[in-house]
């Protein structure tokens, strides 16, 4: 029973310690995964925000260039944009262009002047329906086949573009349109698109009021973006230094289309739409708002099934397995030790039972003359019942007179030689008894 209780106590204690350590490790692993998940989301959100700020600054810089350039020709614009090194430094923008304000009364004359320029012989403002005011694309670089398709397009004729252009006029700052199909798109591999407009005012003209700004406006510097071309390189870039192989990014934008808010998917990293299954309170989902140029992107971040296993998820399982193994081993060792102790106790009880039944005084004395065992008759002769015998020196227990009687024989016996002597010993009660004393040496494993 004693062995069972002690073994059970060790097992329960070590098991509880293992479970506590495992639980704390799980909490730490979950916290680590949460921090890692949030860090990756923040990196992507910061990358998008930084990139869009860069483009806003680029458009403001281009506005300054237009304002100070006396005669803005396609050649001058081409050299300016070439100096920006778009393919190398800004590969995810479709181009940078200028939309000039034209009025109905001088539209035909402006078209004729533009057709005189090299490469613009077939230039025409479109769509052709008459309007009081036009903002056609007259400059756009790099002028590749895709961008050439957009030349002459009056962006003010389309509602989403017009709303962004009006907002840019009133704020005097870059403003982003809603989601549109760019004039550059074809029927093949279409992507959602948007544009950012920065108003250009006549140099020195007052711009204090909304009316002043409209009067001083000469056009817009703008940049068109195809959303996959914009966001895919950013995802690839952070994938080179962040653990994104088990992360999915989805980017949305909500715009007011015809008075009704519409949410548009701009980019999905793994092409598996998860927005309908999101878990707002789970470690596996997070939504981050990224305001830019009067609009707002919504970045949805999802941790996929392998995310935790790729992080520190293995550590709690390892701790649990090792802890259970150690618990089982300790329990086994305690069981064996307790069993051995019980055997020794049983042997000692049997020895004491036998020696107590013998009509002789029996004692075990170690090399330091300390008493380690006595039978009942020895204890009766030399113990006063108040002081323990075990652990005391034979001299102190038997008394100086008695010890003197056996001291010589005891020394020989401790030297490894059996001895026998006859003497008279005095009991604790003062009785003198004749005794035959036999001293038998006990040799250890090494013969000592």
């Amino acid at each position: 029973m004693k062995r069972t209780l002690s073994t059970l106590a060790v097992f329960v204690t070590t098991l509880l310690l293992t479970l506590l350590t495992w639980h704390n490790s799980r909490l730490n692993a979950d916290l680590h995964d949460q921090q890692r998940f949030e860090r990756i989301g923040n990196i992507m959100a910061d990358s998008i925000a930084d990139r869009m700020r860069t483009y806003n600054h680029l458009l403001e810089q281009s506005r300054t260039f237009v304002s100070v350039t006396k005669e803005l020709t396609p050649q001058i614009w081409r050299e300016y944009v070439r100096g920006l090194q778009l393919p190398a430094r800004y590969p995810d923008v479709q181009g940078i262009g200028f939309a000039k304000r034209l009025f109905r009364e001088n539209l035909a004359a402006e078209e004729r002047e533009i057709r005189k320029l090299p490469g613009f012989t077939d230039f025409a403002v479109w769509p052709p329906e008459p309007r009081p005011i036009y903002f056609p694309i007259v400059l756009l670089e790099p002028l590749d086949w895709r961008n050439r398709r957009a030349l002459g397009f009056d962006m003010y004729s389309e509602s989403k573009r017009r709303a962004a252009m009006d907002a840019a006029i009133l704020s005097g700052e870059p403003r982003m349109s809603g989601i549109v199909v760019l004039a550059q798109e074809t029927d093949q591999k279409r992507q959602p698109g948007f544009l950012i407009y920065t108003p250009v005012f006549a140099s020195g003209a007052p711009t204090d009021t909304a009316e002043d700004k409209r009067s001083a406006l000469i056009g817009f510097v703008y940049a068109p973006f195809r959303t996959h071309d914009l966001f895919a390189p950013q995802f690839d870039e952070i994938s080179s230094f962040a653990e994104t192989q088990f992360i999915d990014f989805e980017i949305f934008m909500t715009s007011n289309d015809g008075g009704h808010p519409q949410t548009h998917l701009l980019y999905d990293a793994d092409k598996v739409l998860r927005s309908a299954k999101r878990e707002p309170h789970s470690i596996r989902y997070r939504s981050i708002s990224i305001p830019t140029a009067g609009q707002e992107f919504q970045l949805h971040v999802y941790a996929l099934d392998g995310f935790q296993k790729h992080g520190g998820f293995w550590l709690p399982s390892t701790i649990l397995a090792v802890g259970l193994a150690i618990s089982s081993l300790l329990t086994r060792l305690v069981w064996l030790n307790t069993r051995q102790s019980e055997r020794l106790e049983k042997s000692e009880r049997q020895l004491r039972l036998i020696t107590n039944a013998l009509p002789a005084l029996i004692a075990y004395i170690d090399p330091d003359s300390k008493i380690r065992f006595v039978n009942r008759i020895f204890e009766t002769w030399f113990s006063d019942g108040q002081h323990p015998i075990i652990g005391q020196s034979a001299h102190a227990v038997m008394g100086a007179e008695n010890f003197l009687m056996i001291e010589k024989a005891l020394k020989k016996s401790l030297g490894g030689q059996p001895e026998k002597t006859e003497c008279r010993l005095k009991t604790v009660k003062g009785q003198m008894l004749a005794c035959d004393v036999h001293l038998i040496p006990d040799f250890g494993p090494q013969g000592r």
Side-chain angles (χ1 to χ4, degrees), residues 289-345:
S289 297
I290 308 171
T292 179
Q295 296 282 7
E296 188 173 85
F297 296 130
Q298 286 292 330
L299 173 64
H300 293 187
V301 189
Y302 300 87
L304 306 182
D305 289 339
F307 180 75
Q308 288 180 308
K309 294 179 181 179
H310 187 69
F313 184 77
W314 58 269
L315 184 59
S317 301
T318 302
I319 289 176
L320 181 61
V322 173
L324 290 176
I326 293 175
S327 177
S328 300
L329 178 61
L330 287 176
T331 301
R332 176 66 176 170
L333 291 175
V334 169
W335 185 83
L336 291 174
N337 184 64
T338 305
R339 184 180 180 185
Q340 182 68 20
S341 298
E342 288 178 348
R343 288 178 176 176
L344 290 175
E345 289 176 2

Side-chain angles (χ1 to χ4, degrees), residues 11 51 103 110 177-178 183 197 236-237 240 257 287 301 319 334 339 349 357-358 361 373 375 380 390 409 432 436:
F11 176 74
R51 202 65 171 171
F103 296 97
E110 289 285 351
S177 73
Y197 297 96
D236 293 341
E237 181 179 345
S240 65
D257 299 344
S287 178
V301 189
I319 289 176
V334 169
R339 184 180 180 185
R349 285 195 305 271
L358 294 175
L361 286 77
F373 174 84
N375 70 344
T380 301
I390 304 302
M432 298 296 294
D436 287 336

